[in-house]
Amino acid sequence: MAAADDASRPFAGLSDVSISEDIPVEGDISVPVGSSRRDDEYSTLDEPVKETILRDLRAVGNKFIHVLYPKRSSALLRDWDLWGPLLLCVTLALLLQGGAADTDDQGGPQFAEVFVIIWFGSIIITLNSKLLGGTISFFQSLCVLGYCIMPLTVAMAVCRIVLIGGSGTVSFAVRLVVVTASFGWSTFASTAFLADSQPANRKALVVYPVFLFYFVIGWMILTFSPSQ
Amino acid sequence: MASPNDLQFQEFEEAAELLSADPEASTLSLSASDNSARAGGSEDVKLDLSEDEEGEEESSELLGGQKLSGGFWTFEYYASFFNVDTVQVLDRVKGSVLPLPGRNFIKHYLRSNPDLYGPFWICVTLVFSVAISGNLSSFISEMGDPAYHYRPQFHRVTIAAVVIFLYAWLVPIGLWGFLTWRQGTERQIGGYSFLETVCVYGYSLFIYIPTSVLWIIPFEWLRWTLILVAMVISGSVLVLTFWPVVRDDTKVMAVATVATIVVLHTLLAIGCKMYFFQTAVHAPPPPPAAPTTPAIHITLTTKPH
């Protein structure tokens, strides 16, 4: 006690305050562990596979609907995914197969050519818009450009159905109208999403490559001629 | 990002410092620009001075006058090549289609702000317009032939892309290297940076886009007239740009350089026309009965003696 008093002399005013050694320190040290119920909300490891696949499919379908009715919404931009573009690209490339004279050089585009045009075209357009000062991110732009191919893929399916009926002038006129309408729709839909992210005095510089991209894809669809 | 006005203001300051530091250089550049000043006005004189300073101080860099922001591995480095507005691009395209004597494309339109947007997208558009128009023209010329079956001929896009991109990139590299080498040995003033050379070549190809679309019309005389007009316009843009630089060289080299530029340009135009717009030279296959009937007729006439 004397040693303790000596030690506490600088704190003279506190001499009557002392911690006696026989009071046990007691208490309960326990960290409340997060309940397993909270973990279940974020962990998708235990859910059934059907649920996982359906969630992604629902997201892809949601974006398809946004392309069908293009209005200025950020859903497509915020939650980008590349499943939809991949699906559309593979479908379009497969539909463009089986054309006239596939074996020799003079035919339509090969599967790899379609793939390269779509993906490298999208990448180059995205780089172009970013270099011109756009604020959209790389994958968001790829997502938008890929999803807006959907009208052209639908047009390709319609063209193949029309070609079953014959390949005369009437069928060509019908195909021309369908492809032109879907090309306009694609360009309009993608510019509705992309135009806002560009500086105002460069909008046309960004829109023109998109126009050229969909024009080339439309050309590939229109010139598809069935093998005889 | 500095606006074009800021860049010009800086050039004035540094040029003035150079003038006070080295009066010899200024008199040389003044006499060289006197000839062009009569046509171009006072702004050509000032731009020549700034170019002299650029050639001496930034000769090691590929981009004379361009603000290099970051190394070549950064994104900003490449973004500085796309520092153009819609109005500027349209203005440059207009300048490539209407070349006026005395209007140097690089001096008048680029103004130390060469861009890569124009050359790249003009080349891409030209590739597709040549391939598509060629396909359409062969379809139209062979439409009446019953044996003809339409083919998309998609491989032509690849060939067109290789040819046009090689021309638009290799020829400026060669020309820039050659001019820089001559500039080194002959101590001549004025030379263009690599980017400006690529830029002027890219924009000069623009006239071929409407020309290739008009080539669909299947009249030979029209096609040759169009190609002549396009070659004259496009070639004069290039000649007007490079003549002031080459003129100070020896007569032989100057004429040879300009002639090479024109010849290569002509080869590209004619090569594209010959390959992509082949006219149907074949005669329609004669019906199989025709050759036999004259033979029968001959035998009938020769038999009775």
Side-chain angles (χ1 to χ4, degrees), chain A residues 105-107 109 113 128 131-132 201-202 205 208-209 219-220 223 228, chain B residues 79 82-86 117 121 125 149-155:
Chain A
D105 265 348
Q106 303 258 333
E113 283 174 342
N128 176 64
L131 283 169
L132 281 170
N201 51 351
R202 296 179 180 183
L205 294 184
Y208 171 70
W219 172 257
M220 287 197 302
T223 60
Q228 291 179 344
Chain B
F82 282 75
N83 194 12
V84 278
D85 296 339
T86 311
Y117 177 91
W121 287 109
T125 312
H149 181 69
Y150 172 72
R151 281 171 169 32
Q153 290 171 322
F154 207 73
H155 66 292

PDB file of all heavy atoms in Angstrom, chain A residues 105-107 109 113 128 131-132 201-202 205 208-209 219-220 223 228, chain B residues 79 82-86 117 121 125 149-155:
ATOM      1  N   ASP A 105     -14.322 -19.639-102.321  1.00  0.00           N
ATOM      2  CA  ASP A 105     -14.037 -18.318-101.790  1.00  0.00           C
ATOM      3  C   ASP A 105     -15.144 -17.312-101.999  1.00  0.00           C
ATOM      4  O   ASP A 105     -15.172 -16.289-101.341  1.00  0.00           O
ATOM      5  CB  ASP A 105     -12.778 -17.760-102.487  1.00  0.00           C
ATOM      6  CG  ASP A 105     -11.550 -18.052-101.643  1.00  0.00           C
ATOM      7  OD1 ASP A 105     -11.743 -18.452-100.487  1.00  0.00           O
ATOM      8  OD2 ASP A 105     -10.438 -17.888-102.134  1.00  0.00           O
ATOM      9  N   GLN A 106     -16.010 -17.585-102.972  1.00  0.00           N
ATOM     10  CA  GLN A 106     -16.880 -16.510-103.397  1.00  0.00           C
ATOM     11  C   GLN A 106     -18.138 -16.404-102.558  1.00  0.00           C
ATOM     12  O   GLN A 106     -19.027 -15.644-102.887  1.00  0.00           O
ATOM     13  CB  GLN A 106     -17.295 -16.777-104.858  1.00  0.00           C
ATOM     14  CG  GLN A 106     -16.109 -16.901-105.763  1.00  0.00           C
ATOM     15  CD  GLN A 106     -15.905 -15.639-106.550  1.00  0.00           C
ATOM     16  OE1 GLN A 106     -16.847 -14.920-106.802  1.00  0.00           O
ATOM     17  NE2 GLN A 106     -14.676 -15.376-106.913  1.00  0.00           N
ATOM     18  N   GLY A 107     -18.199 -17.158-101.477  1.00  0.00           N
ATOM     19  CA  GLY A 107     -19.447 -17.205-100.734  1.00  0.00           C
ATOM     20  C   GLY A 107     -19.536 -16.114 -99.685  1.00  0.00           C
ATOM     21  O   GLY A 107     -18.834 -15.116 -99.712  1.00  0.00           O
ATOM     22  N   PRO A 109     -19.751 -14.765 -95.568  1.00  0.00           N
ATOM     23  CA  PRO A 109     -18.728 -14.761 -94.523  1.00  0.00           C
ATOM     24  C   PRO A 109     -18.702 -16.084 -93.780  1.00  0.00           C
ATOM     25  O   PRO A 109     -19.731 -16.704 -93.561  1.00  0.00           O
ATOM     26  CB  PRO A 109     -19.171 -13.624 -93.604  1.00  0.00           C
ATOM     27  CG  PRO A 109     -20.620 -13.494 -93.836  1.00  0.00           C
ATOM     28  CD  PRO A 109     -20.874 -13.869 -95.254  1.00  0.00           C
ATOM     29  N   GLU A 113     -15.320 -15.188 -89.489  1.00  0.00           N
ATOM     30  CA  GLU A 113     -15.337 -13.808 -89.965  1.00  0.00           C
ATOM     31  C   GLU A 113     -16.437 -13.017 -89.276  1.00  0.00           C
ATOM     32  O   GLU A 113     -16.251 -11.856 -88.904  1.00  0.00           O
ATOM     33  CB  GLU A 113     -15.539 -13.782 -91.487  1.00  0.00           C
ATOM     34  CG  GLU A 113     -14.278 -14.124 -92.253  1.00  0.00           C
ATOM     35  CD  GLU A 113     -14.516 -14.240 -93.740  1.00  0.00           C
ATOM     36  OE1 GLU A 113     -15.678 -14.387 -94.139  1.00  0.00           O
ATOM     37  OE2 GLU A 113     -13.532 -14.198 -94.489  1.00  0.00           O
ATOM     38  N   ASN A 128     -12.772   3.812 -79.693  1.00  0.00           N
ATOM     39  CA  ASN A 128     -12.951   5.101 -80.350  1.00  0.00           C
ATOM     40  C   ASN A 128     -13.728   6.061 -79.462  1.00  0.00           C
ATOM     41  O   ASN A 128     -13.351   7.229 -79.302  1.00  0.00           O
ATOM     42  CB  ASN A 128     -13.695   4.874 -81.668  1.00  0.00           C
ATOM     43  CG  ASN A 128     -14.017   6.160 -82.385  1.00  0.00           C
ATOM     44  OD1 ASN A 128     -13.139   6.876 -82.804  1.00  0.00           O
ATOM     45  ND2 ASN A 128     -15.292   6.473 -82.493  1.00  0.00           N
ATOM     46  N   LEU A 131     -11.543   7.137 -76.546  1.00  0.00           N
ATOM     47  CA  LEU A 131     -10.482   8.058 -76.909  1.00  0.00           C
ATOM     48  C   LEU A 131     -11.027   9.446 -77.196  1.00  0.00           C
ATOM     49  O   LEU A 131     -10.324  10.442 -77.028  1.00  0.00           O
ATOM     50  CB  LEU A 131      -9.741   7.538 -78.148  1.00  0.00           C
ATOM     51  CG  LEU A 131      -8.774   6.396 -77.877  1.00  0.00           C
ATOM     52  CD1 LEU A 131      -8.313   5.783 -79.175  1.00  0.00           C
ATOM     53  CD2 LEU A 131      -7.584   6.884 -77.099  1.00  0.00           C
ATOM     54  N   LEU A 132     -12.291   9.515 -77.647  1.00  0.00           N
ATOM     55  CA  LEU A 132     -12.868  10.821 -77.919  1.00  0.00           C
ATOM     56  C   LEU A 132     -13.378  11.487 -76.659  1.00  0.00           C
ATOM     57  O   LEU A 132     -13.960  12.554 -76.725  1.00  0.00           O
ATOM     58  CB  LEU A 132     -14.019  10.691 -78.926  1.00  0.00           C
ATOM     59  CG  LEU A 132     -13.583  10.547 -80.373  1.00  0.00           C
ATOM     60  CD1 LEU A 132     -14.756  10.177 -81.236  1.00  0.00           C
ATOM     61  CD2 LEU A 132     -12.988  11.841 -80.867  1.00  0.00           C
ATOM     62  N   ASN A 201     -20.000  18.116 -78.439  1.00  0.00           N
ATOM     63  CA  ASN A 201     -19.517  18.491 -79.759  1.00  0.00           C
ATOM     64  C   ASN A 201     -18.871  17.324 -80.489  1.00  0.00           C
ATOM     65  O   ASN A 201     -18.283  17.518 -81.543  1.00  0.00           O
ATOM     66  CB  ASN A 201     -18.520  19.647 -79.624  1.00  0.00           C
ATOM     67  CG  ASN A 201     -17.449  19.315 -78.596  1.00  0.00           C
ATOM     68  OD1 ASN A 201     -17.550  18.329 -77.888  1.00  0.00           O
ATOM     69  ND2 ASN A 201     -16.428  20.141 -78.537  1.00  0.00           N
ATOM     70  N   ARG A 202     -18.979  16.114 -79.946  1.00  0.00           N
ATOM     71  CA  ARG A 202     -18.373  14.967 -80.618  1.00  0.00           C
ATOM     72  C   ARG A 202     -19.348  13.823 -80.797  1.00  0.00           C
ATOM     73  O   ARG A 202     -18.949  12.711 -81.107  1.00  0.00           O
ATOM     74  CB  ARG A 202     -17.165  14.456 -79.819  1.00  0.00           C
ATOM     75  CG  ARG A 202     -16.077  15.468 -79.759  1.00  0.00           C
ATOM     76  CD  ARG A 202     -14.913  14.997 -78.965  1.00  0.00           C
ATOM     77  NE  ARG A 202     -13.894  16.025 -78.944  1.00  0.00           N
ATOM     78  CZ  ARG A 202     -12.716  15.891 -78.374  1.00  0.00           C
ATOM     79  NH1 ARG A 202     -12.415  14.757 -77.792  1.00  0.00           N
ATOM     80  NH2 ARG A 202     -11.855  16.869 -78.399  1.00  0.00           N
ATOM     81  N   LEU A 205     -19.245  12.128 -84.151  1.00  0.00           N
ATOM     82  CA  LEU A 205     -18.036  11.345 -84.365  1.00  0.00           C
ATOM     83  C   LEU A 205     -18.153   9.966 -83.740  1.00  0.00           C
ATOM     84  O   LEU A 205     -17.513   9.022 -84.197  1.00  0.00           O
ATOM     85  CB  LEU A 205     -16.825  12.060 -83.759  1.00  0.00           C
ATOM     86  CG  LEU A 205     -16.405  13.384 -84.390  1.00  0.00           C
ATOM     87  CD1 LEU A 205     -15.144  13.890 -83.735  1.00  0.00           C
ATOM     88  CD2 LEU A 205     -16.181  13.221 -85.863  1.00  0.00           C
ATOM     89  N   TYR A 208     -21.222   7.819 -85.844  1.00  0.00           N
ATOM     90  CA  TYR A 208     -20.955   7.322 -87.200  1.00  0.00           C
ATOM     91  C   TYR A 208     -20.368   5.915 -87.232  1.00  0.00           C
ATOM     92  O   TYR A 208     -20.808   5.079 -88.029  1.00  0.00           O
ATOM     93  CB  TYR A 208     -20.045   8.307 -87.947  1.00  0.00           C
ATOM     94  CG  TYR A 208     -19.565   7.742 -89.247  1.00  0.00           C
ATOM     95  CD1 TYR A 208     -20.429   7.564 -90.307  1.00  0.00           C
ATOM     96  CD2 TYR A 208     -18.254   7.330 -89.400  1.00  0.00           C
ATOM     97  CE1 TYR A 208     -20.017   7.005 -91.491  1.00  0.00           C
ATOM     98  CE2 TYR A 208     -17.832   6.759 -90.582  1.00  0.00           C
ATOM     99  CZ  TYR A 208     -18.710   6.609 -91.620  1.00  0.00           C
ATOM    100  OH  TYR A 208     -18.295   6.041 -92.791  1.00  0.00           O
ATOM    101  N   PRO A 209     -19.351   5.565 -86.408  1.00  0.00           N
ATOM    102  CA  PRO A 209     -18.856   4.183 -86.451  1.00  0.00           C
ATOM    103  C   PRO A 209     -19.910   3.159 -86.065  1.00  0.00           C
ATOM    104  O   PRO A 209     -19.914   2.041 -86.603  1.00  0.00           O
ATOM    105  CB  PRO A 209     -17.709   4.189 -85.438  1.00  0.00           C
ATOM    106  CG  PRO A 209     -17.256   5.579 -85.381  1.00  0.00           C
ATOM    107  CD  PRO A 209     -18.500   6.391 -85.536  1.00  0.00           C
ATOM    108  N   TRP A 219     -25.682  -5.574 -94.171  1.00  0.00           N
ATOM    109  CA  TRP A 219     -25.281  -5.989 -95.516  1.00  0.00           C
ATOM    110  C   TRP A 219     -25.028  -7.487 -95.572  1.00  0.00           C
ATOM    111  O   TRP A 219     -25.426  -8.172 -96.505  1.00  0.00           O
ATOM    112  CB  TRP A 219     -24.039  -5.212 -95.928  1.00  0.00           C
ATOM    113  CG  TRP A 219     -23.444  -5.694 -97.196  1.00  0.00           C
ATOM    114  CD1 TRP A 219     -22.340  -6.469 -97.353  1.00  0.00           C
ATOM    115  CD2 TRP A 219     -23.938  -5.467 -98.513  1.00  0.00           C
ATOM    116  NE1 TRP A 219     -22.104  -6.725 -98.680  1.00  0.00           N
ATOM    117  CE2 TRP A 219     -23.087  -6.117 -99.411  1.00  0.00           C
ATOM    118  CE3 TRP A 219     -25.034  -4.763 -99.015  1.00  0.00           C
ATOM    119  CZ2 TRP A 219     -23.275  -6.076-100.779  1.00  0.00           C
ATOM    120  CZ3 TRP A 219     -25.218  -4.740-100.382  1.00  0.00           C
ATOM    121  CH2 TRP A 219     -24.351  -5.387-101.242  1.00  0.00           C
ATOM    122  N   MET A 220     -24.337  -8.018 -94.546  1.00  0.00           N
ATOM    123  CA  MET A 220     -24.073  -9.455 -94.504  1.00  0.00           C
ATOM    124  C   MET A 220     -25.376 -10.245 -94.467  1.00  0.00           C
ATOM    125  O   MET A 220     -25.487 -11.312 -95.075  1.00  0.00           O
ATOM    126  CB  MET A 220     -23.229  -9.810 -93.270  1.00  0.00           C
ATOM    127  CG  MET A 220     -21.789  -9.372 -93.379  1.00  0.00           C
ATOM    128  SD  MET A 220     -20.705 -10.185 -92.193  1.00  0.00           S
ATOM    129  CE  MET A 220     -21.442  -9.762 -90.666  1.00  0.00           C
ATOM    130  N   THR A 223     -27.265  -9.974 -98.018  1.00  0.00           N
ATOM    131  CA  THR A 223     -26.679 -10.677 -99.161  1.00  0.00           C
ATOM    132  C   THR A 223     -26.604 -12.175 -98.947  1.00  0.00           C
ATOM    133  O   THR A 223     -26.007 -12.876 -99.752  1.00  0.00           O
ATOM    134  CB  THR A 223     -25.254 -10.160 -99.430  1.00  0.00           C
ATOM    135  OG1 THR A 223     -24.467 -10.394 -98.265  1.00  0.00           O
ATOM    136  CG2 THR A 223     -25.267  -8.705 -99.769  1.00  0.00           C
ATOM    137  N   GLN A 228     -28.084 -23.693-103.619  1.00  0.00           N
ATOM    138  CA  GLN A 228     -29.093 -24.300-104.489  1.00  0.00           C
ATOM    139  C   GLN A 228     -28.713 -25.705-104.878  1.00  0.00           C
ATOM    140  O   GLN A 228     -27.532 -26.004-104.968  1.00  0.00           O
ATOM    141  CB  GLN A 228     -29.271 -23.455-105.745  1.00  0.00           C
ATOM    142  CG  GLN A 228     -29.928 -22.132-105.419  1.00  0.00           C
ATOM    143  CD  GLN A 228     -30.084 -21.281-106.660  1.00  0.00           C
ATOM    144  OE1 GLN A 228     -29.453 -21.546-107.681  1.00  0.00           O
ATOM    145  NE2 GLN A 228     -30.913 -20.282-106.574  1.00  0.00           N
TER     146      GLN A 228
ATOM    147  N   ALA B  79      -5.139   9.322 -76.476  1.00  0.00           N
ATOM    148  CA  ALA B  79      -6.298  10.218 -76.490  1.00  0.00           C
ATOM    149  C   ALA B  79      -5.926  11.561 -77.078  1.00  0.00           C
ATOM    150  O   ALA B  79      -6.790  12.259 -77.618  1.00  0.00           O
ATOM    151  CB  ALA B  79      -6.841  10.401 -75.072  1.00  0.00           C
ATOM    152  N   PHE B  82      -6.926  12.134 -80.655  1.00  0.00           N
ATOM    153  CA  PHE B  82      -8.339  12.185 -81.004  1.00  0.00           C
ATOM    154  C   PHE B  82      -8.953  13.478 -80.505  1.00  0.00           C
ATOM    155  O   PHE B  82     -10.136  13.535 -80.198  1.00  0.00           O
ATOM    156  CB  PHE B  82      -9.067  10.989 -80.395  1.00  0.00           C
ATOM    157  CG  PHE B  82      -8.841   9.717 -81.156  1.00  0.00           C
ATOM    158  CD1 PHE B  82      -7.636   9.039 -81.062  1.00  0.00           C
ATOM    159  CD2 PHE B  82      -9.810   9.210 -81.986  1.00  0.00           C
ATOM    160  CE1 PHE B  82      -7.409   7.887 -81.773  1.00  0.00           C
ATOM    161  CE2 PHE B  82      -9.595   8.048 -82.697  1.00  0.00           C
ATOM    162  CZ  PHE B  82      -8.400   7.382 -82.591  1.00  0.00           C
ATOM    163  N   ASN B  83      -8.140  14.503 -80.441  1.00  0.00           N
ATOM    164  CA  ASN B  83      -8.574  15.759 -79.857  1.00  0.00           C
ATOM    165  C   ASN B  83      -9.220  16.635 -80.916  1.00  0.00           C
ATOM    166  O   ASN B  83      -8.741  17.722 -81.216  1.00  0.00           O
ATOM    167  CB  ASN B  83      -7.348  16.438 -79.251  1.00  0.00           C
ATOM    168  CG  ASN B  83      -7.752  17.560 -78.349  1.00  0.00           C
ATOM    169  OD1 ASN B  83      -8.917  17.693 -78.006  1.00  0.00           O
ATOM    170  ND2 ASN B  83      -6.798  18.361 -77.962  1.00  0.00           N
ATOM    171  N   VAL B  84     -10.295  16.119 -81.521  1.00  0.00           N
ATOM    172  CA  VAL B  84     -10.969  16.890 -82.564  1.00  0.00           C
ATOM    173  C   VAL B  84     -12.458  16.886 -82.290  1.00  0.00           C
ATOM    174  O   VAL B  84     -12.985  15.963 -81.692  1.00  0.00           O
ATOM    175  CB  VAL B  84     -10.727  16.301 -83.971  1.00  0.00           C
ATOM    176  CG1 VAL B  84      -9.418  16.739 -84.512  1.00  0.00           C
ATOM    177  CG2 VAL B  84     -10.834  14.801 -83.936  1.00  0.00           C
ATOM    178  N   ASP B  85     -13.123  17.928 -82.784  1.00  0.00           N
ATOM    179  CA  ASP B  85     -14.578  18.003 -82.711  1.00  0.00           C
ATOM    180  C   ASP B  85     -15.173  17.634 -84.053  1.00  0.00           C
ATOM    181  O   ASP B  85     -14.480  17.566 -85.062  1.00  0.00           O
ATOM    182  CB  ASP B  85     -15.006  19.419 -82.335  1.00  0.00           C
ATOM    183  CG  ASP B  85     -14.530  19.793 -80.953  1.00  0.00           C
ATOM    184  OD1 ASP B  85     -14.242  18.877 -80.166  1.00  0.00           O
ATOM    185  OD2 ASP B  85     -14.442  20.993 -80.682  1.00  0.00           O
ATOM    186  N   THR B  86     -16.492  17.436 -84.046  1.00  0.00           N
ATOM    187  CA  THR B  86     -17.187  17.088 -85.288  1.00  0.00           C
ATOM    188  C   THR B  86     -16.950  18.139 -86.354  1.00  0.00           C
ATOM    189  O   THR B  86     -16.692  17.824 -87.529  1.00  0.00           O
ATOM    190  CB  THR B  86     -18.694  16.980 -85.014  1.00  0.00           C
ATOM    191  OG1 THR B  86     -18.893  16.170 -83.872  1.00  0.00           O
ATOM    192  CG2 THR B  86     -19.406  16.377 -86.192  1.00  0.00           C
ATOM    193  N   TYR B 117      -8.441  10.069 -85.947  1.00  0.00           N
ATOM    194  CA  TYR B 117      -9.841   9.660 -86.160  1.00  0.00           C
ATOM    195  C   TYR B 117     -10.154   9.644 -87.648  1.00  0.00           C
ATOM    196  O   TYR B 117     -10.673   8.666 -88.182  1.00  0.00           O
ATOM    197  CB  TYR B 117     -10.767  10.641 -85.430  1.00  0.00           C
ATOM    198  CG  TYR B 117     -12.221  10.347 -85.657  1.00  0.00           C
ATOM    199  CD1 TYR B 117     -12.908   9.513 -84.792  1.00  0.00           C
ATOM    200  CD2 TYR B 117     -12.906  10.893 -86.725  1.00  0.00           C
ATOM    201  CE1 TYR B 117     -14.236   9.233 -84.988  1.00  0.00           C
ATOM    202  CE2 TYR B 117     -14.237  10.606 -86.937  1.00  0.00           C
ATOM    203  CZ  TYR B 117     -14.903   9.782 -86.072  1.00  0.00           C
ATOM    204  OH  TYR B 117     -16.225   9.492 -86.287  1.00  0.00           O
ATOM    205  N   TRP B 121     -11.038   6.111 -89.778  1.00  0.00           N
ATOM    206  CA  TRP B 121     -12.417   5.797 -90.158  1.00  0.00           C
ATOM    207  C   TRP B 121     -12.666   6.013 -91.634  1.00  0.00           C
ATOM    208  O   TRP B 121     -13.537   5.370 -92.223  1.00  0.00           O
ATOM    209  CB  TRP B 121     -13.406   6.588 -89.295  1.00  0.00           C
ATOM    210  CG  TRP B 121     -13.440   6.031 -87.929  1.00  0.00           C
ATOM    211  CD1 TRP B 121     -12.951   6.581 -86.784  1.00  0.00           C
ATOM    212  CD2 TRP B 121     -13.967   4.752 -87.550  1.00  0.00           C
ATOM    213  NE1 TRP B 121     -13.138   5.732 -85.729  1.00  0.00           N
ATOM    214  CE2 TRP B 121     -13.756   4.602 -86.167  1.00  0.00           C
ATOM    215  CE3 TRP B 121     -14.588   3.711 -88.249  1.00  0.00           C
ATOM    216  CZ2 TRP B 121     -14.152   3.477 -85.468  1.00  0.00           C
ATOM    217  CZ3 TRP B 121     -14.989   2.580 -87.539  1.00  0.00           C
ATOM    218  CH2 TRP B 121     -14.767   2.473 -86.165  1.00  0.00           C
ATOM    219  N   THR B 125     -14.185   3.036 -93.875  1.00  0.00           N
ATOM    220  CA  THR B 125     -15.333   3.274 -94.755  1.00  0.00           C
ATOM    221  C   THR B 125     -14.982   2.960 -96.193  1.00  0.00           C
ATOM    222  O   THR B 125     -15.786   2.372 -96.934  1.00  0.00           O
ATOM    223  CB  THR B 125     -15.782   4.737 -94.647  1.00  0.00           C
ATOM    224  OG1 THR B 125     -15.885   5.093 -93.276  1.00  0.00           O
ATOM    225  CG2 THR B 125     -17.123   4.931 -95.320  1.00  0.00           C
ATOM    226  N   HIS B 149     -25.114 -16.817-110.777  1.00  0.00           N
ATOM    227  CA  HIS B 149     -25.725 -16.980-109.453  1.00  0.00           C
ATOM    228  C   HIS B 149     -25.036 -16.001-108.518  1.00  0.00           C
ATOM    229  O   HIS B 149     -23.817 -15.955-108.448  1.00  0.00           O
ATOM    230  CB  HIS B 149     -25.545 -18.414-108.973  1.00  0.00           C
ATOM    231  CG  HIS B 149     -26.162 -18.637-107.634  1.00  0.00           C
ATOM    232  ND1 HIS B 149     -27.515 -18.631-107.425  1.00  0.00           N
ATOM    233  CD2 HIS B 149     -25.601 -18.840-106.424  1.00  0.00           C
ATOM    234  CE1 HIS B 149     -27.765 -18.842-106.148  1.00  0.00           C
ATOM    235  NE2 HIS B 149     -26.630 -18.964-105.519  1.00  0.00           N
ATOM    236  N   TYR B 150     -25.825 -15.224-107.797  1.00  0.00           N
ATOM    237  CA  TYR B 150     -25.243 -14.155-106.986  1.00  0.00           C
ATOM    238  C   TYR B 150     -24.348 -14.708-105.878  1.00  0.00           C
ATOM    239  O   TYR B 150     -24.713 -15.632-105.167  1.00  0.00           O
ATOM    240  CB  TYR B 150     -26.365 -13.307-106.375  1.00  0.00           C
ATOM    241  CG  TYR B 150     -25.841 -12.319-105.391  1.00  0.00           C
ATOM    242  CD1 TYR B 150     -25.124 -11.204-105.812  1.00  0.00           C
ATOM    243  CD2 TYR B 150     -26.001 -12.519-104.039  1.00  0.00           C
ATOM    244  CE1 TYR B 150     -24.607 -10.317-104.914  1.00  0.00           C
ATOM    245  CE2 TYR B 150     -25.490 -11.633-103.126  1.00  0.00           C
ATOM    246  CZ  TYR B 150     -24.795 -10.539-103.571  1.00  0.00           C
ATOM    247  OH  TYR B 150     -24.267  -9.663-102.673  1.00  0.00           O
ATOM    248  N   ARG B 151     -23.189 -14.111-105.761  1.00  0.00           N
ATOM    249  CA  ARG B 151     -22.293 -14.486-104.692  1.00  0.00           C
ATOM    250  C   ARG B 151     -21.903 -13.253-103.917  1.00  0.00           C
ATOM    251  O   ARG B 151     -21.557 -12.248-104.517  1.00  0.00           O
ATOM    252  CB  ARG B 151     -21.022 -15.103-105.288  1.00  0.00           C
ATOM    253  CG  ARG B 151     -21.237 -16.530-105.702  1.00  0.00           C
ATOM    254  CD  ARG B 151     -20.087 -17.061-106.462  1.00  0.00           C
ATOM    255  NE  ARG B 151     -20.072 -18.468-106.685  1.00  0.00           N
ATOM    256  CZ  ARG B 151     -21.108 -19.289-106.852  1.00  0.00           C
ATOM    257  NH1 ARG B 151     -22.318 -18.820-106.772  1.00  0.00           N
ATOM    258  NH2 ARG B 151     -20.951 -20.566-107.078  1.00  0.00           N
ATOM    259  N   PRO B 152     -21.903 -13.295-102.577  1.00  0.00           N
ATOM    260  CA  PRO B 152     -21.541 -12.113-101.799  1.00  0.00           C
ATOM    261  C   PRO B 152     -20.071 -11.731-101.899  1.00  0.00           C
ATOM    262  O   PRO B 152     -19.734 -10.604-101.674  1.00  0.00           O
ATOM    263  CB  PRO B 152     -21.899 -12.493-100.360  1.00  0.00           C
ATOM    264  CG  PRO B 152     -22.778 -13.655-100.450  1.00  0.00           C
ATOM    265  CD  PRO B 152     -22.442 -14.368-101.711  1.00  0.00           C
ATOM    266  N   GLN B 153     -19.213 -12.635-102.248  1.00  0.00           N
ATOM    267  CA  GLN B 153     -17.782 -12.353-102.418  1.00  0.00           C
ATOM    268  C   GLN B 153     -17.197 -11.641-101.209  1.00  0.00           C
ATOM    269  O   GLN B 153     -16.624 -10.555-101.316  1.00  0.00           O
ATOM    270  CB  GLN B 153     -17.542 -11.505-103.664  1.00  0.00           C
ATOM    271  CG  GLN B 153     -17.789 -12.288-104.925  1.00  0.00           C
ATOM    272  CD  GLN B 153     -17.766 -11.375-106.136  1.00  0.00           C
ATOM    273  OE1 GLN B 153     -18.240 -10.253-106.079  1.00  0.00           O
ATOM    274  NE2 GLN B 153     -17.216 -11.881-107.207  1.00  0.00           N
ATOM    275  N   PHE B 154     -17.387 -12.243-100.055  1.00  0.00           N
ATOM    276  CA  PHE B 154     -16.994 -11.561 -98.841  1.00  0.00           C
ATOM    277  C   PHE B 154     -15.484 -11.507 -98.673  1.00  0.00           C
ATOM    278  O   PHE B 154     -14.971 -10.682 -97.920  1.00  0.00           O
ATOM    279  CB  PHE B 154     -17.630 -12.262 -97.635  1.00  0.00           C
ATOM    280  CG  PHE B 154     -17.820 -11.332 -96.494  1.00  0.00           C
ATOM    281  CD1 PHE B 154     -18.801 -10.364 -96.537  1.00  0.00           C
ATOM    282  CD2 PHE B 154     -17.013 -11.390 -95.382  1.00  0.00           C
ATOM    283  CE1 PHE B 154     -18.977  -9.499 -95.495  1.00  0.00           C
ATOM    284  CE2 PHE B 154     -17.183 -10.524 -94.334  1.00  0.00           C
ATOM    285  CZ  PHE B 154     -18.160  -9.572 -94.392  1.00  0.00           C
ATOM    286  N   HIS B 155     -14.753 -12.376 -99.380  1.00  0.00           N
ATOM    287  CA  HIS B 155     -13.302 -12.363 -99.210  1.00  0.00           C
ATOM    288  C   HIS B 155     -12.705 -11.058 -99.721  1.00  0.00           C
ATOM    289  O   HIS B 155     -11.571 -10.713 -99.381  1.00  0.00           O
ATOM    290  CB  HIS B 155     -12.687 -13.540 -99.948  1.00  0.00           C
ATOM    291  CG  HIS B 155     -12.844 -13.435-101.434  1.00  0.00           C
ATOM    292  ND1 HIS B 155     -14.049 -13.524-102.073  1.00  0.00           N
ATOM    293  CD2 HIS B 155     -11.930 -13.221-102.402  1.00  0.00           C
ATOM    294  CE1 HIS B 155     -13.880 -13.388-103.364  1.00  0.00           C
ATOM    295  NE2 HIS B 155     -12.601 -13.200-103.598  1.00  0.00           N
TER     296      HIS B 155
END
